[in-house]
Amino acid sequence: MQNGILILDFGSQYNQLIGRRIREMEVYSEIIPFNTPLSEILEKKPAGIILSGGPSSVNSETANLVSKELLESGIPILGICYGMQLITHLFGGKVSRGTKGEYGKAELEITKNCPLFAGVSNNSVVWMSHFDEVESVPENFDINAKSGVIAAISNLEKNIYGIQFHPEVTHTEEGGKMLSNFVFNICKAEKNWFLTNYIEKTIAEIKEKVGSQKVILGLSGGVDSSVAAVLIHRAIGKQLTCIFVDTGLLRKDEDKKVMKNYGEHFDLNIKLIDASERFMKKLENVSEPEAKRKAIGNEFVAVFDEESHKIEGAKFLAQGTIYPDVIESQSVKGPSAVIKSHHNVGGLPEEMGFELLEPLRELFKDEVRKVGEELGIPHHLVYRHPFPGPGLGIRILGAVDAEKVKILQEADDIFIEELYKNDLYEKVSQAFVVLLPVKSVGVMGDERTYEYTAVVRSANTIDFMTATWSRLPYDFLDLISSRIINEVRGINRVAYDISSKPPATIEWE
Ligand code: XMP
C-alpha cells in the first residue's frame, strides 16, 4: 500500500472521515476490517496503523479485539476512542464504564507533551463520543492529556498513542495538526496520493485490461456513473457503450440533460432506453414502500439485462462503485438492521455474465468529484446531490402513476432551480420535494381547490447516516411555497420537513 496508513475498522461511524482526512494530506489510506489476519496486515507494510472507534466495549465477552502481536510489531499505532481503550486493555490497564459518558465538545488539557501534540496548544476543544473510559493506564504508558477523563496516553518506546477524542471531526480544533503529526512525524509516511496520477494510472490499467473488447455501463446521470463513464471513455473511446434507462421516475428532463451533457459534450456512446411505461405498469396499485422498491429494482435489472445483451460482444460491465461502497460491504456492522432495501443503479447482479470494471473503487466521493472536474465535467454536474435508484418512486407516497410523477417533477424542478439561483444548492447535502397522496382544501382566485400536498425536504449531512434538516431562510421557503402553489397544477399546499435522521430518514419511503 505504498507507505500509507492502514485504518482498522471497529465500526465507528467516523472511519471514512479518518480515511479522507489522511488522503487530504496526499497520503494513501486504506480501511480494512479489524479482524483481518495479522499476516495480511503486515504484508501491506503500512507506515502506520490507526485503530478506530467502535460501538463495543473491551470488557464485553464479545469484544472486537486484535492480537497484541500487532501492537508489538514496531509499526506506529494510534488508537482513537475505542482504539485507545483497546490498547489500554491489551497492555494490562483498566477500562471501566464511566458514570455518564461524554458526548460532544470537551476541553482538552495537555499535561505532558509528546510527538502527537507537537505544536498543539495546551488547551483546546475536542469532540468526544464515548461511554467507557480509561481508568488506569498500563505500565510504561504516560498520560499526556486530560478532559473530564484520561484523554491521551502514549508509550514512546513502542511508538503507540491513544486518544479518547476524535481528531478527524472538525469540532476538534487541533485535530488536523494531531493527525498530521502522527502521519508525517511519527509514521514518516510519504506524500504519494495524487489524483492526476490516479487518472493516468487508471486509464493505463483500463486499456491493458480491456484491450480491444467492448464495455457496457449503466449510466444514471449521477456523479459516480458519469465520472466512471468519462474516465473509461478517455481510455477506450467508442468501445464503451452506456445504457441509460429512463424509468419514468427521474427528475424533470433528466433524459435530455444526460444526452446533452454526456452524449453531445463528451461524445459518449449512449443508448437511451425509454422504459417508463414498463415501470408504470409494474407499479400500478403498488403502495407499500418495500414492494415499490423491489418492483422498481427488479424491473431495472430486467431492462438492463435485455438491453445489455443486445450489445454484441460486450465482455465487461463497468460500474461506478466507489470506496465507501467497498468499505460498507466489508465493514463491521453495528446492531442496526437494514432499514430500507437499497437499489443502486450500479448494483446489478453478478450472474449477468460480464467481467466487472470498477475504476473508482479506491476513491472517496470527494475524490471522485475532483477526478470528474479534472476530466472536464462541469462543476455543477459533479456536485449534484445524490438521487436514489428508485427515484421519484419513493418520493411519491403510496401508489405511483404518471400524473403524480409529472406533478412532482415540476415542483421538484422549481425547488432545485431556486436553490441554485439563491446560492444555496451546495450549502445543503440533499434537497427534493415529496408528494403526499393527501388532498386538502384551498382557495385560488375565487375558487375552491382540492389538491395534493407537497413536502419540501432538505437535509445537511456528512455521511448520510445521520442528518439534520437544513435551516433554509424563511423568505426562501416562502418563495418556494408560492412558486410551487402558483405554478404547479395539482398542488395547493406546501409543507417543510423539519425531521432529523434519526429518527426520521432522508427519503420518505
Ligand atoms: P435514507 O432515506 O435511508 O437515505 O436516510 C440515505 C441516502 O441514501 C439514498 N437512498 C438510496 N440511494 N438507492 C440509492 O442509490 C436507494 O434505493 C436509496 N434509498 C435511499 C438517499 O437518497 C440518501 O442520499
Side-chain angles (χ1 to χ4, degrees), residues 293 340-344 386 388-390 430 464 501 505-507:
R293 281 175 169 274
K340 297 175 186 181
S341 59
H342 274 210
H343 139 62
N344 292 312
Q430 192 171 8
F464 293 88
K501 172 181 178 177
T505 52
I506 296 174
E507 303 288 350

Side-chain angles (χ1 to χ4, degrees), residues 9 19 38 53 88 94 161 295 422 481:
D9 176 4
L38 180 63
T88 304
K94 190 163 181 221
Y161 300 80
N422 289 276
S481 156

Side-chain angles (χ1 to χ4, degrees), residues 40-242:
E40 255 177 62
I41 295 177
L42 298 180
E43 243 166 58
K44 289 182 182 280
K45 296 197 171 47
I49 294 176
I50 292 180
L51 310 176
S52 84
S56 84
S57 165
V58 290
N59 296 319
S60 123
E61 271 179 24
T62 53
N64 295 330
L65 302 176
V66 289
S67 71
K68 198 168 164 194
E69 230 180 312
L70 174 69
L71 305 192
E72 302 267 28
S73 64
I75 302 169
I77 306 269
L78 172 63
I80 296 177
C81 194
Y82 176 81
M84 162 169 161
Q85 297 161 7
L86 184 59
I87 293 168
T88 304
H89 178 74
L90 290 176
F91 283 100
K94 190 163 181 221
V95 174
S96 58
R97 180 125 285 216
T99 43
K100 55 180 167 42
E102 270 182 306
Y103 298 93
K105 288 182 183 171
E107 298 277 337
L108 181 79
E109 186 194 349
I110 296 175
T111 51
K112 182 170 193 219
N113 216 328
C114 69
L116 191 65
F117 295 144
V120 171
S121 48
N122 280 340
N123 295 285
S124 64
V125 170
V126 295
W127 185 258
M128 291 281 189
S129 176
H130 66 103
F131 215 109
D132 281 6
E133 62 190 48
V134 172
E135 190 179 317
S136 63
V137 297
E139 217 172 292
N140 299 324
F141 273 73
D142 290 325
I143 294 177
N144 299 97
K146 293 192 165 174
S147 57
V149 296
I150 297 175
I153 60 170
S154 66
N155 179 323
L156 299 189
E157 207 181 303
K158 293 190 193 294
N159 235 346
I160 297 181
Y161 300 80
I163 48 183
Q164 184 57 67
F165 54 89
H166 287 273
E168 66 278 15
V169 305
T170 47
H171 304 289
T172 297
E173 288 171 352
E174 306 240 29
K177 179 87 198 143
M178 296 172 197
L179 280 177
S180 129
N181 282 340
F182 179 69
V183 170
F184 295 115
N185 302 344
I186 298 171
C187 301
K188 314 253 180 289
E190 270 171 39
K191 285 194 176 194
N192 57 13
W193 180 249
F194 306 113
L195 290 177
T196 28
N197 296 358
Y198 183 87
I199 294 175
E200 280 166 27
K201 180 189 97 177
T202 308
I203 288 177
E205 281 169 5
I206 296 170
K207 281 187 174 153
E208 161 88 31
K209 187 167 176 186
V210 172
S212 57
Q213 308 275 359
K214 284 190 196 161
V215 178
I216 50 170
L217 175 143
L219 188 66
S220 72
V223 179
D224 305 339
S225 67
S226 304
V227 174
V230 174
L231 185 60
I232 296 169
H233 181 258
R234 194 59 80 81
I236 57 163
K238 293 284 178 193
Q239 284 163 255
L240 170 71
T241 304
C242 302

Side-chain angles (χ1 to χ4, degrees), residues 293 339-346 385-391 394-395 429-430 432 457 461 463-467 501 504-509:
R293 281 175 169 274
I339 296 170
K340 297 175 186 181
S341 59
H342 274 210
H343 139 62
N344 292 312
V345 169
H385 294 167
F387 185 72
I394 55 168
R395 293 179 179 172
S429 314
Q430 192 171 8
F432 52 91
R457 174 69 157 152
T461 170
D463 54 9
F464 293 88
M465 308 282 283
T466 60
K501 172 181 178 177
T505 52
I506 296 174
E507 303 288 350
W508 275 48
E509 285 190 338

Side-chain angles (χ1 to χ4, degrees), residues 230-265:
V230 174
L231 185 60
I232 296 169
H233 181 258
R234 194 59 80 81
I236 57 163
K238 293 284 178 193
Q239 284 163 255
L240 170 71
T241 304
C242 302
I243 298 178
F244 178 87
V245 179
D246 182 354
T247 58
L249 301 165
L250 301 174
R251 283 163 289 192
K252 186 182 174 187
D253 293 335
E254 185 71 5
D255 51 346
K256 295 191 193 83
K257 287 182 189 160
V258 166
M259 294 311 279
K260 183 159 181 288
N261 292 331
Y262 295 102
E264 284 173 35
H265 187 72

